[in-house]
Amino acid sequence: AMEQQTISITKAGIQATLNARTSVLAAANPINGRYDKSKSLKSNVAMTAPIMSRFDLFFVILDECNEVSDYNIATHITNVHRLRDEALKPDYTTAEVQRYIKFARTLRPQITPAAEKVLVAQYQRLRQSDAAGSKSSYRITVRQLESMVRLSEALARLYCDDEVKPQYVMEACRFLQRSILRVENDDVELDEPTMPSPQKTQTDTEQPPEDGADDRQKSVSISYEKYRRISTMIISHLRQREQSAEDEPGMRKMDVIAWYLQQCEGELQSLAQLQEETHIVRLVIGRLVQVDSVLLELESDGPAPDEMPEDPSDLKLLVVHPNYVDE
């Protein structure tokens, strides 16, 4: 009824379809009285995914300590108690707001061809982001596309416009993205082991190593979302190759890196960015093999490439662990 704005009733052999054009505004308190940012919205309010998918927007109000906002709230509340109605100075009267809402509800905006293209493109982008492993409050389905349509039409009414324009669609998509709460994850530390230097006996003429110059692991930090995106791309590509491969399974590590850089070709604008992204994808693959145990390294029996890589491990085959299950 909430989606179709109609409800069908069958009673005593009579079937009737009634209008159900209404909006549902619901409020809920988090479990234990405090919102846990490390968990999803569904886990904080103990609400099932089917119920959540019926709502277009979700907004979380966090009671965080902020000196400026606390002062403004306290000042407003004391002024209302002290001055009553004189403390409130609205820009429009109640009658003007009612007249505006009454007129806006009479409009029936139509979606333009340009807005339709933006709707399709934004929905595809949301779906791709959801498939890339982003931890959202709920799965992106056709319900969210219908939500964008309803929000776009509502924005057109808000501006008293007879047409749904692309800017209304972009604003509706922004609302939807802001309401799809993401789980906060710490940045992923990608450790790069350094090769130990040969041991030397310290003589009187040699200086001791400076602080930080000893053989310790270097660390590169990337966001969890980027780590999930890279790992999901690599795992999906390897599984596709395993299904279609007729000879040896998997791909050489050097070929996987080259494939990933080819996918990111449009985002890399300089040689420095190319080198940095190459370094990051090497570290991600290393973590997937050594820490997460998602990938396995196998010795390759195929012919050697024309140009031997600097790192001998680039010749090893990468395959997805047979026990790995997508989240």
Side-chain angles (χ1 to χ4, degrees):
M2 291 174 58
E3 290 181 279
Q4 306 300 329
Q5 297 184 343
T6 58
I7 185 171
S8 299
I9 300 176
T10 303
K11 191 72 173 180
I14 300 175
Q15 184 174 0
T17 302
L18 305 177
N19 289 332
R21 296 173 183 172
T22 184
S23 299
V24 177
L25 179 63
N29 290 324
I31 301 174
N32 300 326
R34 185 172 292 275
Y35 192 88
D36 188 353
K37 293 183 179 180
S38 64
K39 299 180 180 179
S40 64
L41 175 62
K42 181 175 63 176
S43 302
N44 273 280
V45 298
M47 186 181 297
T48 61
I51 296 297
M52 292 183 63
S53 65
R54 263 69 177 181
F55 290 91
D56 291 342
L57 297 176
F58 291 92
F59 293 100
V60 174
I61 301 176
L62 300 177
D63 185 15
E64 296 180 334
C65 296
N66 184 283
E67 184 177 356
V68 177
S69 61
D70 291 344
Y71 173 81
N72 293 333
I73 292 173
T75 302
H76 173 73
I77 293 176
T78 54
N79 286 338
V80 170
H81 281 279
R82 185 169 61 91
L83 303 176
R84 301 296 177 180
D85 293 340
E86 297 180 1
L88 305 176
K89 297 179 181 179
D91 295 331
Y92 302 98
T93 63
T94 303
E96 291 174 339
V97 174
Q98 290 176 342
R99 187 162 59 250
Y100 165 71
I101 294 176
K102 185 177 180 180
F103 173 74
R105 293 181 64 180
T106 62
L107 299 176
R108 296 292 182 267
Q110 301 296 320
I111 299 177
T112 61
E116 180 183 2
K117 293 181 180 179
V118 178
L119 271 170
V120 174
Q122 292 300 319
Y123 173 69
Q124 288 178 326
R125 190 167 64 87
L126 285 175
R127 287 280 294 179
Q128 292 173 357
S129 176
D130 187 41
S134 61
K135 301 289 186 179
S136 60
S137 301
Y138 47 79
R139 304 294 295 180
I140 303 299
T141 63
V142 181
R143 293 186 189 275
Q144 279 63 57
L145 176 59
E146 295 176 347
S147 297
M148 281 196 292
V149 172
R150 287 192 291 267
L151 292 172
S152 301
E153 293 175 346
L155 285 169
R157 294 190 186 99
L158 181 68
Y159 288 97
C160 300
D161 200 337
D162 293 329
E163 294 182 343
V164 177
K165 298 178 179 178
Q167 55 263 35
Y168 303 151
V169 178
M170 295 298 297
E171 187 69 8
C173 183
R174 189 181 69 87
F175 284 152
L176 194 63
Q177 285 181 311
R178 291 292 300 271
S179 69
I180 301 175
L181 301 176
R182 312 269 177 196
V183 177
E184 291 191 354
N185 294 93
D186 296 333
D187 291 344
V188 178
E189 297 291 337
L190 303 175
D191 295 329
E192 178 188 10
T194 57
M195 298 299 294
S197 58
Q199 297 293 333
K200 296 181 180 180
T201 57
Q202 183 174 341
T203 61
D204 295 338
T205 59
E206 292 179 348
Q207 297 295 331
E210 298 179 358
D211 294 339
D214 53 349
D215 297 325
R216 289 177 295 183
Q217 288 188 338
K218 297 180 181 178
S219 178
V220 176
S221 177
I222 62 174
S223 65
Y224 177 80
E225 288 74 16
K226 182 172 183 178
Y227 174 75
R228 286 291 303 168
R229 179 178 62 84
I230 297 176
S231 59
T232 302
M233 289 176 61
I234 293 175
I235 293 170
S236 300
H237 183 64
L238 287 176
R239 281 190 163 168
Q240 292 177 1
R241 286 293 302 267
E242 290 175 7
Q243 294 175 358
S244 60
E246 297 180 356
D247 44 8
E248 60 179 7
M251 291 179 61
R252 284 195 176 105
K253 181 179 178 180
M254 57 185 296
D255 296 332
V256 173
I257 296 174
W259 171 84
Y260 172 78
L261 295 176
Q262 186 178 6
Q263 304 303 310
C264 304
E265 187 177 7
E267 304 174 5
L268 306 176
Q269 305 296 331
S270 63
L271 180 60
Q273 292 180 350
L274 175 62
Q275 294 174 344
E276 180 182 3
E277 198 68 20
T278 304
H279 184 59
I280 289 176
V281 71
R282 284 182 179 276
L283 297 180
V284 169
I285 292 176
R287 181 184 175 91
L288 290 174
V289 173
Q290 301 173 5
V291 179
D292 297 339
S293 299
V294 175
L295 301 181
L296 298 176
E297 284 187 344
L298 305 177
E299 295 295 336
S300 176
D301 296 332
D306 297 336
E307 296 183 4
M308 296 298 294
E310 297 180 359
D311 188 355
S313 64
D314 286 353
L315 295 177
K316 292 187 176 182
L317 290 177
L318 294 177
V319 296
V320 181
H321 196 289
N323 295 333
Y324 173 73
V325 179
D326 293 328
E327 297 180 359

